[in-house]
Amino acid sequence: MAPQVFDKDTCDEVRNKFVALATDTSKYYQADLDRIKTDNNYVSRFITHQKENKDDAAKMIESVFAWRKQNAVRDLDFSKNTEKCLTSMYFKNKDNEGDDIMWIEPKYFDKTKRADFEKYLVWLVENRERESECSQITIVLALDGLGLSEADVDYIKYFINIFMYYTADVMKKMVIHNMHWLLNGVWKLVSVLLSEGAKKRVIFVKNKEIYKQIPESSV
């Protein structure tokens, strides 16, 4: 499901506000600058993410673009990845509305390779099949078998920050499947990073309840 697309005048107003902020274009990828000039769908994602506040949308574009260049997002390449542990994050199948599902299985994470996991997450989102269409995604956190000792709080914080501050209106909903009660404290700790709007997109399910969000054939 693509986000709302605003009219050209609205998008141009946000573009002009961004240009006023972007006094040093060397801080950004030229490809990102080119995209924001012509892609109304892309601009609209920032407007939607910031609840139609044009000033905040322009500020988010500037901060996201600077972050992308600082973190070499366009230079990441895991297309020939041989680290099996990284495959605990992957896109597979569609949700009930035909949007891509991103599956994350934290029990397979290796805390010693957190930096690689962080880069791989960004690369996955950046290179998903329908990114150019500005489509949204459903995220499934599959927590079967994950105990307190295996929970990597710092990575979970990073994960949330990516979808809160560095991607614009990409996460349609987050389905948390089979979270053990021992992780309630961890969730309270990290959920403070979510906006109230984002919290409403988080859905906790147990066992077959997931079929209300994800077709059984997609699980």
Side-chain angles (χ1 to χ4, degrees), residues 37-55:
K37 289 178 184 177
T38 60
D39 191 340
N40 287 341
N41 287 3
Y42 192 43
V43 177
S44 294
R45 276 167 48 175
F46 290 93
I47 299 172
T48 300
H49 196 94
Q50 294 298 336
K51 299 180 180 179
E52 301 187 26
N53 184 308
K54 298 171 188 175
D55 289 324

Side-chain angles (χ1 to χ4, degrees), residues 16 29 42 99 134 138 150 156 165 175 177 190 214 217 219:
N16 291 335
Y29 282 114
Y42 192 43
D99 289 317
C134 296
T138 287
E150 293 89 8
I156 296 173
Y165 303 111
V175 180
H177 187 230
V190 300
I214 308 294
S217 60
V219 175

Side-chain angles (χ1 to χ4, degrees), residues 65-90:
F65 280 14
W67 176 86
R68 286 168 60 81
K69 184 71 176 287
Q70 290 166 4
N71 290 273
V73 170
R74 285 187 173 271
D75 303 310
L76 296 174
D77 185 5
F78 287 88
S79 58
K80 297 180 180 179
N81 163 56
T82 58
E83 291 285 347
K84 188 170 179 59
C85 61
L86 295 181
T87 58
S88 57
M89 296 182 286
Y90 52 91

Side-chain angles (χ1 to χ4, degrees), residues 161-172:
N161 281 332
I162 288 297
F163 290 100
M164 282 299 302
Y165 303 111
Y166 300 114
T167 59
D169 200 40
V170 170
M171 185 185 79
K172 182 171 68 175

Side-chain angles (χ1 to χ4, degrees), residues 41-189:
N41 287 3
Y42 192 43
V43 177
S44 294
R45 276 167 48 175
F46 290 93
I47 299 172
T48 300
H49 196 94
Q50 294 298 336
K51 299 180 180 179
E52 301 187 26
N53 184 308
K54 298 171 188 175
D55 289 324
D56 288 347
K59 290 175 184 176
M60 184 180 183
I61 294 171
E62 196 284 326
S63 65
V64 167
F65 280 14
W67 176 86
R68 286 168 60 81
K69 184 71 176 287
Q70 290 166 4
N71 290 273
V73 170
R74 285 187 173 271
D75 303 310
L76 296 174
D77 185 5
F78 287 88
S79 58
K80 297 180 180 179
N81 163 56
T82 58
E83 291 285 347
K84 188 170 179 59
C85 61
L86 295 181
T87 58
S88 57
M89 296 182 286
Y90 52 91
F91 279 99
K92 186 181 79 170
N93 297 332
K94 308 290 184 182
D95 65 14
N96 288 328
E97 296 174 313
D99 289 317
D100 295 325
I101 306 171
M102 183 179 187
W103 298 83
I104 300 179
E105 301 179 85
K107 67 181 177 181
Y108 297 117
F109 284 5
D110 182 343
K111 292 182 181 181
T112 67
K113 297 180 179 179
R114 183 183 298 138
D116 287 335
F117 276 103
E118 292 174 352
K119 292 175 182 177
Y120 187 59
L121 170 64
V122 173
W123 180 81
L124 271 180
V125 175
E126 179 80 359
N127 290 277
R128 68 188 190 280
E129 184 177 349
R130 298 175 60 204
E131 195 283 330
S132 63
E133 301 174 20
C134 296
S135 63
Q136 292 180 302
I137 63 175
T138 287
I139 299 166
V140 177
L141 279 177
L143 301 184
D144 300 79
L146 185 72
L148 192 58
S149 61
E150 293 89 8
D152 188 336
V153 176
D154 288 334
Y155 179 78
I156 296 173
K157 288 180 178 179
Y158 179 85
F159 168 84
I160 289 175
N161 281 332
I162 288 297
F163 290 100
M164 282 299 302
Y165 303 111
Y166 300 114
T167 59
D169 200 40
V170 170
M171 185 185 79
K172 182 171 68 175
K173 60 185 175 183
M174 183 189 302
V175 180
I176 299 181
H177 187 230
N178 285 344
M179 186 176 82
H180 196 285
W181 67 268
L182 287 173
L183 297 176
N184 287 341
V186 173
W187 177 251
K188 289 180 180 179
L189 181 66

